[in-house]
Amino acid sequence: MCCVTVIQSQDGWGFNYRQTDVCAAKGSEVDIICDYTHPPGIDPSDIKDRFWFTKEKDGEPVDLRTDSEYSGRVTYGCNSYIKRCTLIITDVRESDSAEYKFTLMTNKPGEKYTGSPGVTLSVTGLQVQVRRSDSTWLELTCHSSCVLSDRAEYDWSKNEKYFETGSSLLVSSGSTDRYSCYLRGSWVNGSPAVYGPQRLSVSVSPSAEMLEGDSVNLTCSTDANPAANYTWYKQNGTSDPRLLSEEPQLVFSSIQSSDSGWYFCTAENQLGRKTSDFILIRVKYVPQRPSVSASPSAEMLEGGSVTLTCSADANPAANYTWYKEHEDSPRASGQIFTITDFTAEHSGNYYCEAQNEMGRSNSTLRLITESGVDRTTMIIHITRWPLLVVMLILLLLFCLWTRKKKAVSSTTEPHESREAVEMDLHPECEDLSDMAAQREDPEEQEDQV
């Protein structure tokens, strides 16, 4: 802000500041000028001291030359004849932002005059603003929190080497290079570099293998400027990833077995996007209740065989042991248990126990043998003879029973001839008799077939 401030005291002392507001880039040099006047008849020798200050101690201004924060960085350029004093601050810092005042002390005890209000100094660091120009290009602009100068020009660096000069810069979207801006001709105290996400990493606390119910934090971090935005995903097979969070951390307050799987995160800012490697989360848990199956079935024929299979969802993988109810010793170990030559003694309740380092669980299966001698015998016959032969035998037995009944009737009716009794036989039975005669040795017929 270019203007002159005139402060006139009642005693004829006046102070003219060339600027009331000064904006300076961090690391640059600043000159603050004050012209002063005094009443007629004042000789320069009447002025005992003159200096600049920002602070007071015990009500008295503190000379900047004695302030440790400005040590070696402050000088005065004062001329008594032209009544001007210039404050020169080199390598200005953001902490130098303050109101600066010029004061005069005369030879008279306690007499001093100060130009107030003073000059406000704002020290700013350079920043690069990023704005998307289109889908391909980004526009970089050198920016400061206050207006340095209408005529300020900037140099640009790419990966810490001079690139070009201009108020702005166009770069390709997704570039991995680092860009900074500087005041023209000054290669110190430039802006922080801007760049897309780099060195993306994922960490898991407490570890990648945890117990069900634990509290687990997944953290995504990257080096990027401007700061990156984070997104967490879980990969579900071949389907699209499922978005879980848009924070740097993914927090499980009580992780469950269903949370096991592959996770990854992305980091993105205006200059680019980066995706992390997959990380596998494995939650340890007790085996779930086992599933038990029997093949061919849980109802067995004597002399047959049966295969029992046990499976349980567990992490780490479960070990399996087979027991029969009311027995202490295991019958077998492993996921599959086969019983051959099944007898009635094998009938009963069997259970498998699934166990890992987290705990154990079991499940029961009841095996039953087919009971009853007649039924068993019949089943065995069915398995040896064709069904048609069995039907013929049943019909033959029926016909024999019918013939026996007729014979009994003939003894109670003497007038009925034997021929009449034989005539009452069903014709099918006569045919069946012939067929049965031909099948006297079923095993021989079976061999012929």
Side-chain angles (χ1 to χ4, degrees):
M1 179 177 179
C2 297
C3 59
V4 176
T5 300
V6 179
I7 301 95
Q8 190 73 39
S9 73
Q10 293 181 353
D11 297 330
W13 293 85
F15 302 89
N16 302 331
Y17 294 114
R18 293 289 182 89
Q19 293 175 288
T20 56
D21 293 285
V22 176
C23 178
K26 184 173 65 173
S28 64
E29 180 179 294
V30 173
D31 295 348
I32 302 176
I33 301 172
C34 180
D35 294 317
Y36 61 90
T37 61
H38 53 73
I42 296 295
D43 189 88
S45 61
D46 293 331
I47 299 175
K48 178 183 178 181
D49 200 3
R50 52 195 170 183
F51 59 86
W52 293 81
F53 72 95
T54 60
K55 308 172 189 174
E56 292 184 356
K57 183 177 181 180
D58 299 328
E60 295 296 326
V62 177
D63 189 341
L64 284 177
R65 290 171 297 187
T66 65
D67 191 330
S68 60
E69 294 183 12
Y70 293 86
S71 178
R73 298 190 297 122
V74 169
T75 57
Y76 298 154
C78 297
N79 190 314
S80 300
Y81 294 98
I82 63 174
K83 303 179 182 65
R84 175 177 296 170
C85 193
T86 302
L87 167 63
I88 304 169
I89 309 175
T90 59
D91 189 23
V92 292
R93 306 166 183 173
E94 290 182 278
S95 60
D96 295 339
S97 298
E99 182 183 9
Y100 292 80
K101 300 176 183 178
F102 179 66
T103 188
L104 292 168
M105 293 184 178
T106 68
N107 291 322
K108 294 180 180 180
E111 187 177 58
K112 64 178 181 291
Y113 301 95
T114 300
S116 183
V119 177
T120 300
L121 171 64
S122 300
V123 181
T124 179
L126 298 179
Q127 300 288 336
V128 177
Q129 289 185 328
V130 182
R131 185 178 66 87
R132 182 167 293 280
S133 178
D134 53 36
S135 59
T136 306
W137 296 95
L138 300 170
E139 182 181 23
L140 309 184
T141 305
C142 204
H143 172 74
S144 58
S145 59
C146 57
V147 179
L148 291 170
S149 170
D150 295 337
R151 297 184 300 275
E153 294 184 351
Y154 303 97
D155 290 328
W156 292 88
S157 70
K158 177 181 177 180
N159 299 325
E160 301 182 352
K161 295 181 179 180
Y162 172 77
F163 186 53
E164 64 178 70
T165 299
S167 58
S168 62
L169 183 67
L170 285 178
V171 300
S172 61
S173 178
S175 171
T176 58
D177 297 311
R178 302 164 72 96
Y179 297 93
S180 298
C181 68
Y182 301 80
L183 282 175
R184 180 66 187 268
S186 173
W187 287 97
V188 293
N189 296 298
S191 71
V194 294
Y195 47 93
Q198 299 178 6
R199 298 185 294 275
L200 182 62
S201 64
V202 174
S203 61
V204 182
S205 178
S207 68
E209 289 195 358
M210 62 286 301
L211 306 181
E212 198 168 38
D214 282 353
S215 175
V216 178
N217 293 341
L218 277 63
T219 303
C220 191
S221 60
T222 188
D223 179 20
N225 187 35
N229 296 314
Y230 296 94
T231 309
W232 276 101
Y233 297 90
K234 183 179 182 182
Q235 183 65 53
N236 297 313
T238 58
S239 60
D240 292 337
R242 180 164 60 94
L243 190 153
L244 300 176
S245 171
E246 294 182 341
E247 298 292 335
Q249 281 195 330
L250 180 61
V251 179
F252 297 92
S253 57
S254 177
I255 199 162
Q256 301 299 310
S257 59
S258 57
D259 294 321
S260 296
W262 293 96
Y263 293 80
F264 68 95
C265 69
T266 63
E268 183 175 14
N269 66 6
Q270 296 96 316
L271 282 86
R273 184 175 189 267
K274 199 170 184 65
T275 300
S276 74
D277 294 332
F278 284 94
I279 183 168
L280 177 61
I281 297 299
R282 296 173 57 85
V283 181
K284 292 184 178 181
Y285 52 93
V286 175
Q288 306 299 303
R289 183 175 179 83
S291 172
V292 181
S293 62
S295 178
S297 71
E299 293 188 0
M300 292 302 304
L301 304 178
E302 287 189 304
S305 65
V306 62
T307 298
L308 310 181
T309 303
C310 185
S311 62
D313 182 21
N315 185 36
N319 296 315
Y320 299 92
T321 306
W322 290 91
Y323 295 88
K324 187 177 181 183
E325 192 175 38
H326 305 308
E327 293 182 4
D328 295 331
S329 300
R331 285 294 184 103
S333 62
Q335 198 166 2
I336 297 175
F337 173 32
T338 301
I339 302 175
T340 59
D341 194 17
F342 197 91
T343 66
E345 294 180 354
H346 290 113
S347 298
N349 293 331
Y350 289 78
Y351 67 90
C352 84
E353 182 179 82
Q355 180 179 3
N356 65 9
E357 62 186 63
M358 307 305 300
R360 65 185 66 194
S361 63
N362 58 60
S363 184
T364 303
L365 174 70
R366 181 172 178 80
L367 294 180
I368 306 172
T369 185
E370 294 286 359
S371 60
V373 175
D374 292 341
R375 184 179 180 188
T376 303
T377 302
M378 183 61 68
I379 292 175
I380 293 173
H381 286 175
I382 289 174
T383 58
R384 293 183 57 194
W385 288 8
L387 180 62
L388 177 61
V389 174
V390 175
M391 294 178 64
L392 290 174
I393 292 173
L394 293 175
L395 285 172
L396 180 61
L397 292 174
F398 174 74
C399 291
L400 291 175
W401 176 80
T402 304
R403 176 175 292 180
K404 182 178 179 181
K405 182 179 180 181
K406 289 292 185 180
V408 172
S409 299
S410 63
T411 60
T412 57
E413 299 178 9
H415 302 289
E416 188 175 0
S417 67
R418 178 180 178 88
E419 290 78 6
V421 172
E422 292 178 351
M423 288 297 294
D424 287 339
L425 286 173
H426 292 286
E428 294 83 349
C429 291
E430 294 180 2
D431 296 338
L432 188 60
S433 299
D434 296 336
M435 292 177 63
Q438 296 175 10
R439 298 289 299 186
E440 288 179 356
D441 189 351
E443 292 185 355
E444 181 180 348
Q445 292 292 331
E446 194 170 284
D447 293 338
Q448 291 176 3
V449 174

